[in-house]
Amino acid sequence: MKIHEIYEFFQNPPPTYLCQELAVCYVLSVLLESESYGTELIQRLETEYPLYRLSDTVLYSALKFLEDEKAITGYWRKVEGRGRPRRMYQINPDWLPQAQELARLWHGYVSSGMRVTNHQ
């Protein structure tokens, strides 16, 4: 390592990977807008929030947590012109108030410019 590499790190830091708690809030914020599937959730995060990344492992553990809590439901849908069916997720209507509250935590987190120290 050289000194200039330290300065480069702070001028252009690598993306921060979301922990499961943030992933849950992020997923709910997206699903409040429309149903979605795993790959789209990851791609959308990278597009809309370029400072952040979401690993498959953390995403799918967050989705499983939300399904176990009955916050979301998943179903399989065949998409025209695509190969295999996708697992689509949507918010359970009974969970709307709590989903909105957790989505607000996500939006507050990213708007405050906070970063997670969990680099993977």
Side-chain angles (χ1 to χ4, degrees), residues 3-54:
I3 289 294
H4 78 276
E5 292 172 328
I6 295 170
Y7 289 107
E8 287 174 12
F9 174 87
F10 285 96
Q11 290 171 345
N12 189 19
T16 300
Y17 279 83
L18 300 185
C19 60
Q20 187 173 353
E21 294 84 354
L22 285 171
V24 164
C25 295
Y26 164 71
V27 166
L28 291 171
S29 75
V30 172
L31 296 182
L32 282 167
E33 296 173 23
S34 66
E35 62 184 29
S36 190
Y37 57 94
T39 305
E40 182 181 53
L41 289 164
I42 290 172
Q43 291 170 343
R44 188 168 167 176
L45 178 75
E46 291 177 9
T47 301
E48 294 178 15
Y49 304 99
L51 292 177
Y52 302 98
R53 295 291 181 273
L54 181 54

Side-chain angles (χ1 to χ4, degrees), residues 77-86:
R77 183 173 84 191
K78 178 87 169 112
V79 179
E80 275 303 309
R82 300 282 181 171
R84 53 180 226 228
R86 290 193 172 128

Side-chain angles (χ1 to χ4, degrees), residues 56-120:
D56 290 347
T57 305
V58 172
L59 172 63
Y60 288 104
S61 68
L63 290 169
K64 176 155 182 17
F65 168 80
L66 288 167
E67 279 190 295
D68 290 348
E69 292 292 313
K70 309 281 189 267
I72 64 172
T73 54
Y75 66 94
W76 293 98
R77 183 173 84 191
K78 178 87 169 112
V79 179
E80 275 303 309
R82 300 282 181 171
R84 53 180 226 228
R86 290 193 172 128
R87 181 94 171 138
M88 302 297 294
Y89 297 96
Q90 59 190 7
I91 292 181
N92 177 338
D94 296 340
W95 245 76
L96 269 176
Q98 193 159 7
Q100 291 166 337
E101 183 181 326
L102 293 171
R104 274 194 298 279
L105 291 176
W106 165 253
H107 291 295
Y109 179 85
V110 293
S111 68
S112 71
M114 294 173 61
R115 291 180 62 107
V116 186
T117 56
N118 180 17
H119 292 279
Q120 295 180 350

